[in-house]
């Protein structure tokens, strides 16, 4: 699968370093003790700037899904249809991602998923999700 690779930004270095080891990290606000996604310089809940990174469980459930039949930016037309999903993580955040490892039409709301990795050219890995068997609750 060919994808447009995200730029490497030093502000997100803990995230990308962890992906090299297959660990999904989330930005975390130390002031209100909450995870958030996507990384940003202040907490979207309390506007605090005392932030850190914590490892996520790497599980979740599909909150919403759309099957794309045309290649998106940076994708190869030969890759065929793919599932774009919003996945709810038990840490209380939702992540926009792809669900891989199954037919895109088989991805449904409330489907349990676990993190999977797509290797990038520089050794970083892009988190995606695949069908999983661990029960989780949708948030």
């Amino acid at each position: 699968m060919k994808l447009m690779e995200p730029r490497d930004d030093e502000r997100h270095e803990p995230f990308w370093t962890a992906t090299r080891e297959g660990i999904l990290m989330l930005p975390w606000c130390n002031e209100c003790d909450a995870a958030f996604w996507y990384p940003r310089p202040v907490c979207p809940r309390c506007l605090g700037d005392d932030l850190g990174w914590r490892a996520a469980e790497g599980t979740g459930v599909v909150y919403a899904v759309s099957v794309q039949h045309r290649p998106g930016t940076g994708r190869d037309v030969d890759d065929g249809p793919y599932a774009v999903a919003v996945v709810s993580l038990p840490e209380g955040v939702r992540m926009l991602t792809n669900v891989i490892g199954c037919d895109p039409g088989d991805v449904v709301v409330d489907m349990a998923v676990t993190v999977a990795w797509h290797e990038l050219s520089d050794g970083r890995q892009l988190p995606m999700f695949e069908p999983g068997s661990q029960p989780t609750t949708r948030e």
Side-chain angles (χ1 to χ4, degrees):
M1 169 179 10
K2 178 185 173 196
L3 297 174
M4 184 173 69
E5 296 193 5
R7 67 183 174 169
D8 196 0
D9 184 325
E10 67 183 38
R11 293 175 298 161
H12 308 134
E13 189 58 35
F15 174 81
W16 290 117
T17 298
T19 70
R20 293 175 190 272
E21 299 173 21
I23 300 169
L24 178 62
M25 299 288 280
L26 296 174
W28 206 278
C29 177
N30 295 316
E31 293 181 36
C32 68
D33 197 33
F36 56 93
W37 186 258
Y38 56 91
R40 54 197 107 174
V42 297
C43 174
R45 289 179 178 87
C46 73
L47 300 179
D49 61 0
D50 180 13
L51 309 177
W53 293 87
R54 294 187 192 173
E57 288 183 25
T59 62
V61 294
V62 174
Y63 179 79
V65 62
S66 177
V67 176
Q68 302 300 304
H69 295 275
R70 294 184 181 184
T73 304
R75 287 196 178 253
D76 202 339
V77 69
D78 296 332
D79 287 338
Y82 58 99
V84 176
V86 176
V87 171
S88 293
L89 305 181
E91 292 80 12
V93 301
R94 292 185 181 139
M95 181 180 280
L96 183 64
T97 185
N98 292 135
V99 176
I100 60 173
C102 65
D103 184 277
D106 292 341
V107 180
V108 295
V109 170
D110 290 331
M111 176 182 197
V113 291
T114 58
V115 72
W117 300 99
H118 176 77
E119 190 164 336
L120 302 174
S121 64
D122 61 0
R124 295 178 300 155
Q125 298 186 88
L126 191 61
M128 297 185 175
F129 287 80
E130 62 189 5
S133 59
Q134 291 185 331
T136 29
T137 54
R138 184 172 149 187
E139 296 188 22

